[in-house]
Amino acid sequence: MKKKKGRVLFASLSGSVIEWYDFYLYGTATGLVFSTLFFPNENPAIGLLLAFATFGVGYAARPIGSIIFGHYGDRIGRKAALMLTLVGMGGSSFLIGLLPTYEAVGLIAPILLVLLRLIQGIALGGEWGGAVLLATEYAPKGLRGLYGSVPQLGVPIGLVAGSFSLTIISFLTTETQFMAWGWRIPFLFSAVLIVLALWIRSGIDETPAFQEQKESGEIVNVPIVETFRNNGRNVFHVIGLKLGDGFFNVFLMSFILVYATNYLGYGNERALTALTIGCATMIITIPLIGYLSDFIGRKVIYMTGLALMFILAIPYFTLVGNGETWLFVMQAVMLGVLWGAIFSTQGTLFSELFPANVRYTGLSVGYQLAAAIVGFGPMLWTTMAESYGPSPFVFGGFMMVFLTLSFVLSIFVPDTRKISTYESKMDQTAGM
């Protein structure tokens, strides 16, 4: 049984790594490549805005994916939905690596890029929730926080892999070669990763919780309707809880590259190094805090993380402009420690708010609706930077508003650590 659960965790993690490798590879390439090759403009800021609009489109598409794959995940099974999300995500990323540029085919190039970005966003909209459930619905009693943190590791590992692949290629090529063909290699490599993940996931069974729902005949006909009928309040709780750290997350993991290079004068290598340091720190923080949440509760950790991010919001934006050492330190603290702590508990906390028969849909829809909102953060920040410059008070104040919203809402969310209805009877008797 332990060997089986180990493979399940590996399956949830591997797919999550690939999904986020693809998704953040696009985010990194947006500021470095796409704004020039697919959205050329005499005004660089306009080209950047258009490029980040396609980045936002991927986020906007995620709620669609949450409904589609939530429906399949709650009716047909977690495993079936997760196999499809891998194909959608990996296939679209591979095709992005083959796209002609604006110079070659004109407007067709950005249109195709946006279309593939939509597919990518839809697939990711179903992947995250399914990966979390794959881990948590197999978790032994008392270790759900630890198990739920494992697929969260896919975010820093995937981002490091995506950023590292672009960094390696940029080192091995001249700037001309990188812009001509070098940037395509990491996207094309998605095909290899996706085959490996499909092989891993094909060897696992459905989760015990879903099997019990199926055997008892408790599968609902239209999960999205059932979710809002009986659990609508929790969907909106998830949205509000995610907005605060979500905006900061998108900044720390994507827009920081543009902010540091375009507005603070850092080189690309320095900005990427800072991002990598933050993600490497998360790899330590996430499982450690996930394990800790099984003993002190998700809510305490969540609220503490939000409060500390609020306190450090303006200092973060002040210090990152004072030299690369501060940039590295603050990325490690804000992204690696504080956001990593919040994120480690998110999948488990949010999933515990919903019953098994609509858990895939409820978890995914709430989370991805919030993601659709925060995904347009880079467009807002580009406009803010053009109007006010890299002002710590403007950017820090923006973050503080949404962190306050999430903190207030978190007060009214129960500590779900001891919710007994989450574990199925099959979980309790499956060799623990």
Side-chain angles (χ1 to χ4, degrees), residues 14 79 141 167 201 259 270 293 403:
S14 63
K79 176 181 174 180
K141 187 175 182 179
T167 302
R201 284 189 172 173
Y259 186 80
R270 299 302 183 194
S293 76
L403 286 167

Side-chain angles (χ1 to χ4, degrees), residues 191-274:
V192 177
L193 298 177
I194 219 70
V195 170
L196 291 174
L198 286 171
W199 174 72
I200 293 168
R201 284 189 172 173
S202 65
I204 61 174
D205 298 323
E206 271 301 342
T207 69
F210 179 79
Q211 289 183 46
E212 184 177 312
Q213 291 292 310
K214 190 174 181 179
E215 291 173 4
S216 64
E218 296 180 13
I219 303 296
V220 298
N221 291 326
V222 187
I224 186 65
V225 173
E226 184 71 16
T227 297
F228 278 97
R229 179 185 295 143
N230 296 316
N231 297 276
R233 181 179 179 181
N234 285 333
V235 172
F236 289 107
H237 261 138
V238 170
I239 294 171
L241 287 170
K242 182 60 189 171
L243 286 179
D245 77 284
F247 272 114
F248 229 138
N249 160 236
V250 173
F251 187 96
L252 293 166
M253 298 187 93
S254 297
F255 195 74
I256 184 60
L257 297 175
V258 174
Y259 186 80
T261 56
N262 288 16
Y263 301 106
L264 297 180
Y266 292 103
N268 286 336
E269 293 176 14
R270 299 302 183 194
L272 285 169
T273 299

Side-chain angles (χ1 to χ4, degrees), residues 35-98:
S35 60
T36 301
L37 297 183
F38 290 86
F39 302 96
N41 195 285
E42 293 181 1
N43 185 339
I46 294 177
L48 195 59
L49 275 171
L50 291 172
F52 273 122
T54 67
F55 182 78
V57 162
Y59 273 87
R62 284 164 64 171
I64 300 173
S66 70
I67 296 172
I68 294 172
F69 292 106
H71 181 87
Y72 281 106
D74 283 326
R75 282 192 54 78
I76 300 175
R78 318 315 196 199
K79 176 181 174 180
L82 286 171
M83 298 292 275
L84 290 174
T85 61
L86 280 175
V87 174
M89 192 74 184
S92 59
S93 293
F94 177 78
L95 292 175
I96 286 174
L98 298 175

